[in-house]
């Protein structure tokens, strides 16, 4: 067993993600950001400790070990993707990428109206999962055909402007790459960190298209994010402010919610809505909202442009720190149940683990555990195990 195996548990994914967001927050580059409260710091310190202890406990079960993918890719997988997206576009009579490029639709219209009901939800989740699987297969076998299939699996969600699908696939693939490293993990992590910094710099430069004769996109973003004078006058490239805001604004919105939300939210109605909207698949909670004319609660934001508050902001808005504690227990419990159902002999084992870790990472922005397309994928290991048991029983007869 590799010494760094604990690094790849979902418990450590939670620690690294929220710890990184907190550390970036402490750079204090924006006037919009409130001071972190001791209650929030203690909350994260406590959950980090619990997660680390749990990760150490499960390390002894030999669960977090990398396996090469030696099986062939199921031929029906790419057919299902291509046929699925064709049916989606035919049903909606549009290709979102083309509609947006020509100005025929807005991004909001595309997200609301595109796709066959229910079928589209399954397709998007399957796409993210199979992209990670294709990458694992390519990394194991280095076949050009597999690389081609992987690229196709990323182009298809691009055509329907599904940014979340591409984002999750990239994070899952990144995890698989790290998982596959057998020596000098920390050294390679440092190199990857340097590449990440260059990416952030380039990300800002790409956005730095002149919006007026003497005004750059960087200047506009510095104004929107209300950058501190100390940052404006520092040696740090202004392009880094983009990455800073995106990485740390969820913590800022969470802290602002804690500062401003009424404590009277701790009520029976608040608990009921918390359970319905934060612990149940959103496909179910939306049907409940349609029947009751209700809706998911909002939270306090530093700016309308930055509208994510991590998986914890809404639980606090519902029932205060009790909601945050219950939400962490939910994350912790699902992580335990998920890894216990994994089968080390499954060809999808590494894909399952890295997909789930990617999902935990995205929780720094919102509650992804109840996002139906991806939540459905969490049932795949169970289906896989049932299929294997039925196969063994059939062969035994």
């Amino acid at each position: 067993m590799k010494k760094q195996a604990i690094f790849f548990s979902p418990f450590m994914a939670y620690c690294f993600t929220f710890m990184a967001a907190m550390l970036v927050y402490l750079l204090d580059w924006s006037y919009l950001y409130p001071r972190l409260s001791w209650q929030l710091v203690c909350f994260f310190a406590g959950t980090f400790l619990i997660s680390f202890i749990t990760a150490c406990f499960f390390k002894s079960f030999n669960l977090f070990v990398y396996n090469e993918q030696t099986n062939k890719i199921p031929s029906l997988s790419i057919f299902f993707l291509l046929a699925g997206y064709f049916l989606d576009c035919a049903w909606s009579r549009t290709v979102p990428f083309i509609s947006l490029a020509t100005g025929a639709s807005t991004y909001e219209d595309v997200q609301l109206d595109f796709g066959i009901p229910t079928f589209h939800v399954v397709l998007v989740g399957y796409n993210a999962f199979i992209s990670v699987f294709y990458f694992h297969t390519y990394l194991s076998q280095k076949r050009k055909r597999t690389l081609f299939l992987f690229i196709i699996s990323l182009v298809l969600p691009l055509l329907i402007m599904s940014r979340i699908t591409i984002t999750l696939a990239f994070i899952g693939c990144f995890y698989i790459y790290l998982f596959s490293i057998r020596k000098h993990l920390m050294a390679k992590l440092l190199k990857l960190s340097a590449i990440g910094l260059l990416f952030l710099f380039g990300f800002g430069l790409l956005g730095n298209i002149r919006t007026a004769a003497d005004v750059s996109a960087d200047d506009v973003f510095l104004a929107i994010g209300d950058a501190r004078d100390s940052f404006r006058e520092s040696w740090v490239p202004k392009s880094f402010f983009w990455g800073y805001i995106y990485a740390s604004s969820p913590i800022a919105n969470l802290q602002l919610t804690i500062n401003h939300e009424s404590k009277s939210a701790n009520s029976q109605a608040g608990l009921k809505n918390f359970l319905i909207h934060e612990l149940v698949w959103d496909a179910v909670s939306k049907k409940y909202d349609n029947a009751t004319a209700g809706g998911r609660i909002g939270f306090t934001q530093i700016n309308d442009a930055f509208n994510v508050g991590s998986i914890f902001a809404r639980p606090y808005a519902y029932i205060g720190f009790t909601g945050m504690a219950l939400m962490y227990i939910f994350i912790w419990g699902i992580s335990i149940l998920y890894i216990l159902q994994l089968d080390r002999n499954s060809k999808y084992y590494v894909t399952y683990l890295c997909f789930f870790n990617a999902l935990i990472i995205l929780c720094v922005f919102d509650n992804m555990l109840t996002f139906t397309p991806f939540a459905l994928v969490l049932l795949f290991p169970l289906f896989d195990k049932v299929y294997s048991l039925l196969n063994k029983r059939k062969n035994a007869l």
Side-chain angles (χ1 to χ4, degrees), residues 41 66 105 113 149 187 193 229 255 277 284 293 301 318 322 380 396:
V41 172
Y66 181 78
S105 302
D113 301 329
L149 293 179
S193 298
D229 294 335
Q255 182 62 67
H277 292 99
V284 177
Q301 299 170 202
Y318 280 120
T322 301
F380 284 11

Side-chain angles (χ1 to χ4, degrees), residues 65 68 84 117 133 135 183 188 217 382 397:
V65 180
E68 298 285 348
F133 176 69
F135 182 77
K183 294 181 179 179
K188 292 184 179 180
L382 185 60
L397 294 177

Side-chain angles (χ1 to χ4, degrees), residues 1 6 9-11 51-64 332 335-337 339-340:
M1 181 176 175
I6 190 175
S9 74
F11 311 105
S51 294
F52 178 73
I53 292 172
T54 310
C56 291
F57 173 78
F58 276 99
K59 181 181 178 181
S60 60
F61 287 78
N62 203 30
L63 291 169
F64 312 121
W332 182 77
S335 298
I336 291 175
L337 291 174
I339 62 176
L340 286 179

